[in-house]
Amino acid sequence: GAGVSQSPSNKVTEKGKDVELRCDPISGHTALYWYRQSLGQGLEFLIYFQGNSAPDKSGLPSDRFSAERTGGSVSTLTIQRTQQEDSAVYLCASSLGRRGPGYTFGSGTRLTVV
Amino acid sequence: RKEVEQDPGPFNVPEGATVAFNCTYSNSASQSFFWYRQDCRKEPKLLMSVYSSGNEDGRFTAQLNRASQYISLLIRDSKLSDSATYLCVVNPRYSGGGADGLTFGKGTHLIIQP
């Protein structure tokens, strides 16, 4: 597609439920990142996919978080047993390669855990 | 020392003025530098890359000082539409594998006043 597409744009869920967030990167972009941004805070790196290499999961905050990328394209971020502190905007970005140039972000999924 | 540090502001600047802000980074091996702009409740968007020789794009000038490990952004003849949060972004170069994804500062909030 023309840009990075994320869905849903907003998600309200009850504490303890699982949620799945989707990212569809720009066609041909091999690098895909997930970040999250809490209110008034900077971007926090979560996970990185590069081509067919094993993902770098070093930013995932707990084992409740997981992500996969199927066929080198669409990625899903899954949060199990959601907690209120998981509330944030989850941003996906893609780029042509590991160092960019430049990263294109999707418009994000605003997750609210109640 | 945090990896990427910025003065959060806000910087309140009258329309037409020149404003500049800096960002410091801790990893001396960092290779790539960027300024991103983020509007309220929107995703970050690449404003400009920062090259060793400095670069200019219209009213915007970015500079890199490797010796002191900081980058700067200067905006001339500021417009109301320049109001946003400006994110300093550093791409460190890790040896031995691992993701070399972008490290974001928390941003500097700029408000241009009429």
Side-chain angles (χ1 to χ4, degrees), chain A residues 10 33 35 37 39-43 45 48 56 58 91 98-108 110, chain B residues 31-32 34 36 38 41-46 87 91-94 97-106:
Chain A
N10 282 284
Y33 294 82
Y35 290 84
Q37 188 173 32
L39 187 63
Q41 298 298 310
L43 274 73
F45 166 73
Y48 159 69
D56 183 327
S58 59
L91 290 159
R98 301 183 77 178
R99 297 185 180 88
Y103 289 62
T104 302
F105 282 85
S107 54
R110 185 173 299 276
Chain B
Q31 295 294 308
S32 306
F34 307 90
Y36 275 68
Q38 186 172 24
R41 300 175 74 87
K42 298 286 188 181
E43 72 275 17
K45 292 184 178 178
L46 178 66
L87 307 176
N91 195 340
R93 181 174 183 175
Y94 296 103
D100 49 358
L102 302 180
T103 301
F104 287 79
K106 291 191 176 182

Side-chain angles (χ1 to χ4, degrees), chain B residues 66-85:
Chain B
R66 284 193 183 275
S68 300
Q69 293 182 212
Y70 75 84
I71 66 173
S72 64
L73 179 68
L74 182 135
I75 306 174
R76 289 182 297 277
D77 187 24
S78 54
K79 312 291 185 190
L80 295 176
S81 58
D82 295 334
S83 297
T85 297

Side-chain angles (χ1 to χ4, degrees), chain B residues 12 15 20 27 35 39 49-50 55 58 61 72-73 75 81 83-84 96 107:
Chain B
N12 290 283
E15 189 177 9
N27 187 340
W35 284 102
D39 293 292
S49 302
V50 187
N55 50 306
T61 300
S72 64
L73 179 68
I75 306 174
S81 58
S83 297

